[in-house]
Amino acid sequence: ARRELARGQRTVLFVDEVHRFSKTQQDALLPSVENRWVTLVAATTENPFFSIISPLLSRSLLLTLQPLTDDDVETVVRRALEQDLHATIEDDALEFLTRIAGGDARRALTSLEAAATADVITLAMLERALDRAAVRYDRDGDQHYDVISGFIKSIRGSDVDAALHYLARMIEAGEDPRFIARRLVVHASEDIGMADPSALQTAVAAAQALELIGMPEARINLAQATIHLALAPKSNAVIAAIDSAMSDVRRGLTGGVPPHLRDAHYAGAKDLGHTGYRYPHDFLGRVVAQQYAPDPIVGREYYSPGDLGVERVAKERLTGLREVLRGDREVVREDVAQGFRPRCQRNPEEST
């Protein structure tokens, strides 16, 4: 390359799968890049911030290539059929081939070549060539909605095996894994909520793992989240609480914020009556009786915890806290020790 450069001819050096180079080998490329002996073009399927040394990365322009769309893959397949194979393909076979390609034209062409044994390529020919059954699934039609419905209802019903079946079915059919991850995150709060607060953490972690490592590896993270959610105790108290509160707001039950809760961090706030706030940290148990809700909804209870999982403990604590907030009981040290459990439910012989 140096000799060619002296004669005015530049050299392009293309390195495929550059992440397979060791750090020492990547270091060896630096002089050529820094001295402009070559124009380096390197390709990698790994995250370059983890797999490429910093000096080389800092001297490079990073371009991220996205998967082809289904329409792009279909265009490539049709060109191959017309220009090279001189064959046609049935619509259901083309849809299956496009789906299993996953945005990779090379995979689509390899599969097409394996099945091209006649002038007309059918779905059955593709299934035989690939040794893989075509999963009936229309991402824009009934199967899309029916399968995801079966998936969520199986998790809600605590049938982990059925849930994993539907998950596998969607993955095999080429469903957008981000769609699956979003449904898991929603379900974690909608049907589990405070009965197992860690369910939401698992679902969000699975969604983040999907973005970090991609498919097919992220199928494991999606499966872990599915298993966690299916086995978790169930409660719809969270969605019931927010929907009930929003219903009241829509009906006009709002009212002003009580004066003692309003902002008092400016001159003149006291003149407006923004006084009387009782700072909970100054009281035993960090809770004190005072009005928090606007007048129209005083006494309304939106959150009603269930009897499973963590919510069973939350239910007892909430009952005791509401008694204190209403002024129906004074806080004593026993309340703090026992987590504000309702006094009527306590066993006098029970240890704190």
Side-chain angles (χ1 to χ4, degrees):
R2 288 198 299 270
R3 288 195 299 270
E4 292 294 325
L5 186 60
R7 292 194 289 266
Q9 183 69 40
R10 298 191 62 84
T11 300
V12 174
L13 172 63
F14 178 74
V15 181
D16 196 14
E17 304 289 356
V18 68
H19 59 270
R20 298 187 184 278
F21 275 31
S22 68
K23 291 184 177 181
T24 302
Q25 290 170 320
Q26 291 184 35
D27 278 331
L29 295 173
L30 282 174
S32 301
V33 174
E34 291 176 334
N35 295 309
R36 299 183 181 274
W37 298 335
V38 299
T39 300
L40 175 65
V41 180
T44 176
T45 55
E46 303 292 328
N47 186 329
F49 292 100
F50 297 133
S51 58
I52 308 300
I53 60 173
S54 297
L56 188 58
L57 195 60
S58 66
R59 291 163 175 78
S60 305
L61 175 64
L62 181 62
L63 301 176
T64 303
L65 302 182
Q66 301 297 335
L68 298 177
T69 66
D70 287 352
D71 290 341
D72 294 332
V73 174
E74 183 176 329
T75 298
V76 171
V77 169
R78 290 193 182 279
R79 285 177 182 167
L81 288 167
E82 295 170 4
Q83 299 174 13
D84 298 317
L85 300 177
H86 306 293
T88 59
I89 187 170
E90 294 183 350
D91 289 342
D92 57 351
L94 179 59
E95 189 275 334
F96 174 54
L97 183 61
T98 302
R99 182 161 18 101
I100 65 172
D104 187 338
R106 180 167 48 187
R107 184 184 304 169
L109 292 176
T110 301
S111 302
L112 183 65
E113 270 193 330
T117 57
D119 293 337
V120 179
I121 300 173
T122 66
L123 179 61
M125 293 167 63
L126 275 172
E127 289 179 316
R128 285 196 301 270
L130 303 179
D131 193 24
R132 177 175 178 178
V135 180
R136 179 174 171 76
Y137 194 88
D138 180 359
R139 280 177 284 184
D140 298 317
D142 291 342
Q143 292 88 9
H144 167 80
Y145 296 103
D146 289 346
V147 174
I148 195 64
S149 177
F151 177 61
I152 291 301
K153 288 173 181 174
S154 296
I155 296 177
R156 182 181 296 140
S158 300
D159 191 331
V160 65
D161 302 302
L164 285 169
H165 164 79
Y166 289 120
L167 175 63
R169 198 157 150 181
M170 288 187 288
I171 292 174
E172 281 294 301
E175 177 61 83
D176 183 353
R178 292 171 297 181
F179 169 72
I180 302 173
R182 288 195 297 269
R183 294 309 307 165
L184 287 170
V185 172
V186 172
H187 174 74
S189 290
E190 181 179 356
D191 291 299
I192 298 171
M194 292 301 296
D196 181 0
S198 66
L200 179 59
Q201 298 172 1
T202 299
V204 170
Q208 292 174 337
L210 172 64
E211 296 298 330
L212 179 65
I213 65 174
M215 295 294 280
E217 289 85 355
R219 75 189 188 283
I220 308 170
N221 308 110
L222 294 175
Q224 179 178 342
T226 297
I227 293 170
H228 185 153
L229 271 58
L231 297 181
K234 304 300 188 293
S235 170
N236 67 344
V238 170
I239 187 174
I242 186 59
D243 285 353
S244 179
M246 292 180 69
S247 175
D248 278 355
V249 170
R250 293 190 185 108
R251 291 191 298 117
L253 295 178
T254 51
V257 176
H260 57 280
L261 298 186
R262 297 179 187 178
D263 184 19
H265 292 85
Y266 59 91
K270 290 184 178 180
D271 296 336
L272 296 175
H274 299 185
T275 60
Y277 174 61
R278 309 178 76 188
Y279 188 55
H281 289 284
D282 292 338
F283 296 85
L284 184 63
R286 310 298 188 270
V287 61
V288 60
Q290 62 183 329
Q291 180 180 335
Y292 288 96
D295 291 338
I297 63 164
V298 168
R300 296 187 73 84
E301 298 180 355
Y302 296 119
Y303 180 47
S304 179
D307 297 318
L308 298 177
V310 178
E311 272 199 328
R312 183 174 45 133
V313 178
K315 185 175 185 178
E316 293 184 347
R317 177 173 173 79
L318 177 59
T319 301
L321 287 172
R322 281 173 174 163
E323 291 174 355
V324 174
L325 293 172
R326 288 194 301 263
D328 294 341
R329 66 191 263 191
E330 292 292 328
V331 179
V332 297
R333 295 197 177 278
E334 186 183 6
D335 291 320
V336 180
Q338 296 195 359
F340 290 94
R341 288 173 56 191
R343 289 172 182 169
C344 60
Q345 296 183 11
R346 289 190 186 145
N347 181 351
E349 299 177 1
E350 190 178 51
S351 169
T352 61

